[in-house]
């Protein structure tokens, strides 16, 4: 489903996700492309015009999986931030980041690995001439960006809806400190409408409520980690949290949560709330 917010900016609702685009008349610029080529095809049908440029908010498979479809069909140019670029050009890096090393088995999951696409570093000059501003909203991934056109912003995965938090109970984060800083960046933005990928188009007031919900979520996870840091390993802390929140994960969800807990531990070490004890392995202790 396509919905125009003003004469140029529109949202595309693919079912599980919402993306944004910019209509240039004969062609469109698309911000993210869905999880795989079938979603790309679906978006193509809805648009009914060529995609000249794709700007990816970050390198997660559910945002870049349609790139290869549009590159084959329209030879679309793809822009991404340098901090995300290697992950798009070589998509086996994302599951390898989660695992901490190559693991063939993880590569088979389309939620973790999309097809490679040919990506270039973002040309801010080209986007700025079209009235598109780039926002640093990193944290959920190393260099996640948002895009701002007039009073409309595309926030990618920099913010999540209450439904998504309730469903997954642990949001995937790469760097908790940067995620929280990005929440403050969004809070200070001058905008009227915002699109978040998981999911919806919201007024500023709703976005401000969601910022609070996202902050409460990180505070909850921090407390759970602190309660369970008694000279324990990251695996033991993760398993205690899975039990506490009644999460029965599959392998992908488990790897995402384990990686997120490691990110939180690094953050809590930086803030002085836990200490890492190296004793025949890495253990974490509340201070
Ligand atoms: Zn993501």
């Amino acid at each position: 489903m396509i919905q125009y917010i003003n004469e140029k900016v529109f949202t595309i609702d693919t079912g599980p996700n919402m993306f944004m685009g910019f209509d240039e008349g004969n062609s469109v610029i698309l911000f993210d492309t869905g999880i795989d080529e079938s979603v790309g095809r679906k978006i193509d049908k809805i648009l009914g015009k060529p995609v000249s440029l794709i700007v990816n908010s970050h390198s997660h498979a559910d945002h870049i999986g349609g790139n290869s479809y549009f590159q084959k069909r329209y030879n679309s140019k793809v822009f991404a931030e340098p901090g995300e670029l290697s992950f798009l050009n070589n998509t086996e890096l994302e599951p390898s980041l989660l695992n901490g090393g190559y693991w063939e088995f993880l590569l088979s999951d389309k939620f973790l690995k999309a097809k490679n696409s040919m990506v270039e570093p973002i040309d801010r000059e080209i986007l700025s001439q079209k009235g598109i501003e780039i926002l640093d909203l990193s944290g959920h991934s190393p260099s996640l960006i948002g895009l701002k056109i007039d009073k409309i912003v595309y926030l990618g995965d920099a913010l999540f809806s209450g439904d998504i938090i309730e469903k997954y109970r642990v949001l995937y984060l790469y760097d908790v400190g940067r995620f929280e800083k990005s929440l403050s960046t969004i809070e200070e933005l001058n905008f009227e409408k915002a699109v978040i990928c998981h999911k919806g188009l919201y007024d500023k007031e709703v976005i401000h409520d969601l910022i609070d919900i996202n902050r409460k979520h990180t505070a909850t996870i921090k407390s759970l980690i602190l309660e369970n840091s008694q000279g324990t390993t990251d695996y033991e802390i993760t398993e205690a949290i899975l039990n506490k929140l009644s999460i029965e994960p599959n392998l992908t969800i488990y790897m995402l949560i384990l990686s997120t807990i490691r990110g939180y531990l690094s953050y809590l070490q930086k803030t002085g709330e836990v200490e890492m004890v190296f004793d025949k392995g890495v253990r974490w202790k509340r201070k």
Side-chain angles (χ1 to χ4, degrees), residues 58 60 62-63 140-141 144 157 160 172 198:
H58 64 302
H60 291 163
D62 54 337
H63 296 257
H140 168 72
S141 73
L144 188 144
D157 285 356
F160 294 89
Y172 174 75
H198 310 278

Side-chain angles (χ1 to χ4, degrees), residues 19-282:
F19 304 116
M20 201 166 99
F22 185 71
D23 194 333
E24 297 201 282
N26 295 326
S27 64
V28 301
I29 302 174
L30 203 53
F31 308 142
D32 294 335
T33 58
I35 197 160
D36 58 17
E37 292 192 334
S38 72
V39 177
R41 194 173 299 112
K42 192 173 163 186
I43 294 173
D44 187 26
K45 262 193 186 159
I46 296 172
L47 290 173
K49 54 173 92 177
V51 173
S52 56
L53 174 64
I54 292 162
V55 184
N56 285 129
S57 60
H58 64 302
S59 57
H60 291 163
D62 54 337
H63 296 257
I64 66 165
N67 288 6
S68 52
Y69 171 85
F70 289 109
Q71 291 206 301
K72 272 184 259 174
R73 177 137 165 85
Y74 300 115
N75 201 21
S76 317
K77 204 187 251 295
V78 181
F79 282 167
E81 270 293 83
E84 303 277 335
L85 201 99
S86 314
F87 289 88
L88 282 118
N89 286 330
N90 180 9
T91 53
E92 73 176 43
L93 292 179
E94 187 61 40
S96 301
L97 169 76
L98 285 185
N99 182 47
Y102 181 75
W103 189 7
E104 185 78 37
F105 192 72
L106 270 190
L107 300 178
S108 58
D109 191 327
K110 76 170 183 177
F111 291 97
L112 299 182
K113 187 186 180 301
K115 280 193 178 170
N116 289 336
S117 36
M118 302 285 287
V119 190
E120 302 168 37
I122 281 193
D123 188 328
R124 284 178 156 68
E125 189 61 35
I126 290 180
L127 294 179
S128 153
Q129 281 163 9
K130 297 174 189 293
I132 304 172
E133 191 191 328
I134 307 289
L135 311 166
D136 171 10
L137 299 177
S138 56
H140 168 72
S141 73
S143 300
L144 188 144
I145 53 160
L147 297 135
K148 186 167 184 287
I149 305 165
D150 299 325
K151 295 282 177 73
I152 304 164
V153 283
Y154 178 70
L155 299 175
D157 285 356
L159 192 66
F160 294 89
S161 69
D163 291 351
I164 287 290
I165 296 174
E166 218 165 278
K167 182 176 172 191
Y168 290 100
R169 280 162 278 179
V170 181
L171 292 177
Y172 174 75
L173 297 183
Y174 171 76
D175 181 329
V176 181
R178 274 190 262 173
F179 176 75
E180 289 181 339
K181 188 165 169 261
S182 294
L183 294 180
S184 301
T185 303
I186 299 166
E187 201 167 36
E188 284 154 25
L189 275 180
N190 178 18
F191 70 99
E192 284 169 6
K193 300 259 183 204
V195 175
I196 60 173
C197 292
H198 310 278
K199 136 184 158 174
L201 168 67
Y202 299 111
D203 290 337
K204 188 174 183 170
E205 298 70 41
V206 180
I207 291 292
H208 279 227
D209 290 346
L210 288 182
I211 291 170
D212 284 343
I213 292 170
N214 280 250
R215 280 187 179 133
K216 276 183 194 137
H217 171 73
T218 57
T220 304
I221 303 297
K222 281 178 201 167
S223 312
L224 286 171
I225 291 174
L226 290 175
E227 276 167 30
N228 289 289
S229 297
Q230 303 136 343
T232 26
T233 66
D234 47 5
Y235 287 99
E236 287 164 343
I237 296 166
T238 301
E239 270 147 42
I241 290 174
L242 291 172
N243 280 334
K244 177 83 185 175
L245 299 178
S246 309
I247 302 171
E248 289 176 17
N250 59 24
L251 175 66
T252 302
I253 299 286
Y254 181 81
M255 296 305 289
L256 289 166
I257 294 177
L258 174 65
S259 172
T260 300
I261 299 299
R262 287 173 172 159
Y264 272 93
L265 285 164
S266 163
Y267 174 83
L268 292 168
Q269 185 178 32
K270 201 172 157 189
T271 58
E273 289 162 274
V274 294
E275 72 174 321
M276 192 268 288
V277 183
F278 187 76
D279 178 18
K280 294 176 193 151
V282 175

